[in-house]
Amino acid sequence: MQEKEDRTGKKMKIAISGKGGVGKTTIMALLAGEFKKNGKDVLVIDADPSPHMAETLGVAHPENIRPIAEMTKLLVERSGKTEGSPMYNMNPDVNDLLVDFMVQHDGMKLMVLGAIQTGDKGCACPESNVLRRMLTKLLLSKDQVVLLDMEAGVEHLGRGTIAGIDHLLIVVIPSKSSIRTALKVKKLAEDVKIPKISFVGNLIRDEEDKTFLEQGLGDCPIAFFKDSQAIRKAERQEIPINTLEQAAEEAPQILMRALTE
């Protein structure tokens, strides 16, 4: 989720999603670096069930960062739920959590939320409500930017976990399965009344790939990221992606401009 001000001064919240493996975390890291270069105070929130944004940004000892979603005792306490009772606080106090669990790195902030895993126990509503409350409480100044990396697929939209955002970016690669997932995400986003939805193309090799996406999506992505060998190598060697802006050429700038116009 990114909270920004457009030219009218209206704040917006932006999330990024897509099929697993399409590179949404990589694109988010590059976009975060672009905003930082332009003088913004950047906060990245990793809300993926298998978070690895810390590694992508080059945070030291990422294994020491425990996702907030795994702190079930803390979340249950904060929700006000008592054992044996179905009641819990719908508006828990989360202000201190927003500060206490931010990691500072290279001029940016990172918060690793993770995602509540219900498993065989059914709905984990109180814990999920605390996480949702944390996201909606992010009230930022005009110089701050928040990027939210959602879990892959469409399930989070069905649960309404990103309801209330203003703009959803859907990352899609030139494959039929990725296009099918992207269109499902778009449909569910429309169902939950997200005002603005845009596609972002990734792993693009030529004009044929661009045309394939445009025809399959019925829409033109607002930015195209090339299939970069340098980025692929960096990911394998765990080199921070946001140090490779040149490998992505002008795509991060184009995407940032599209978001801020």
Side-chain angles (χ1 to χ4, degrees), residues 2-261:
Q2 168 194 324
E3 184 150 333
K4 68 183 181 68
E5 289 190 348
D6 61 18
R7 292 177 180 175
T8 66
K10 179 183 177 182
K11 287 188 175 182
M12 299 180 66
K13 296 178 180 179
I14 298 177
I16 189 167
S17 187
K19 181 179 173 66
V22 298
K24 60 187 181 64
T25 299
T26 297
I27 288 176
M28 171 166 288
L30 291 168
L31 183 59
E34 191 63 31
F35 273 113
K36 191 190 93 168
K37 281 198 310 181
N38 281 268
K40 297 296 184 181
D41 180 9
V42 180
L43 167 61
V44 179
I45 299 179
D46 194 346
D48 195 289
S50 300
H52 57 278
M53 181 60 74
E55 292 91 337
T56 304
L57 293 175
V59 175
H61 305 296
E63 68 278 2
N64 294 333
I65 302 176
R66 186 181 179 190
I68 299 172
E70 294 180 6
M71 303 178 191
T72 53
K73 183 178 179 180
L74 170 65
L75 294 177
V76 171
E77 288 176 351
R78 195 55 61 94
S79 73
K81 188 178 186 302
T82 57
E83 187 173 354
S85 171
M87 306 299 290
Y88 59 91
N89 186 359
M90 293 297 294
N91 295 296
D93 182 9
V94 296
N95 290 332
D96 59 322
L97 300 182
L98 293 172
V99 176
D100 293 345
F101 293 100
M102 286 184 188
V103 177
Q104 300 274 350
H105 173 72
D106 192 27
M108 293 186 284
K109 302 183 185 73
L110 171 68
M111 180 185 292
V112 181
L113 254 63
I116 297 295
Q117 303 295 304
T118 57
D120 297 329
K121 298 180 180 180
C123 176
C125 297
E127 297 96 316
S128 295
N129 184 61
V130 174
L131 296 186
R132 283 196 295 271
R133 180 69 173 166
M134 290 180 70
L135 297 180
T136 57
K137 283 284 288 183
L138 289 167
L139 302 176
L140 306 174
S141 72
K142 63 181 181 180
D143 292 325
Q144 293 178 303
V145 171
V146 174
L147 298 171
L148 174 63
D149 188 6
M150 299 300 301
E151 61 186 287
V154 299
E155 290 79 7
H156 57 287
L157 283 165
R159 294 194 297 267
T161 54
I162 64 170
I165 70 165
D166 300 301
H167 198 150
L168 175 67
L169 297 179
I170 306 171
V171 179
V172 57
I173 63 174
S175 76
K176 288 187 175 181
S177 62
S178 179
I179 289 174
R180 283 194 295 268
T181 298
L183 291 175
K184 287 180 180 177
V185 171
K186 180 182 179 183
K187 175 63 168 60
L188 285 171
E190 291 171 340
D191 290 344
V192 297
K193 309 300 183 184
I194 294 176
K196 195 165 185 179
I197 305 161
S198 300
F199 297 112
V200 177
N202 193 29
L203 304 184
I204 305 299
R205 295 186 177 182
D206 49 35
E207 290 298 320
E208 184 177 340
D209 282 348
K210 292 183 180 180
T211 300
F212 178 78
L213 283 181
E214 290 173 9
Q215 292 179 345
L217 296 169
D219 194 6
C220 182
I222 60 175
F224 291 98
F225 287 74
K226 291 185 177 181
D227 186 2
S228 169
Q229 184 62 32
I231 291 177
R232 194 184 303 273
K233 185 176 180 180
E235 290 172 335
R236 293 173 179 173
Q237 297 180 354
E238 297 186 340
I239 296 173
I241 294 298
N242 58 327
T243 64
L244 301 174
E245 292 96 340
Q246 292 183 348
E249 299 181 1
E250 295 183 351
Q253 299 173 27
I254 293 171
L255 179 56
M256 188 190 72
R257 286 199 299 267
L259 292 173
T260 54
E261 288 179 349

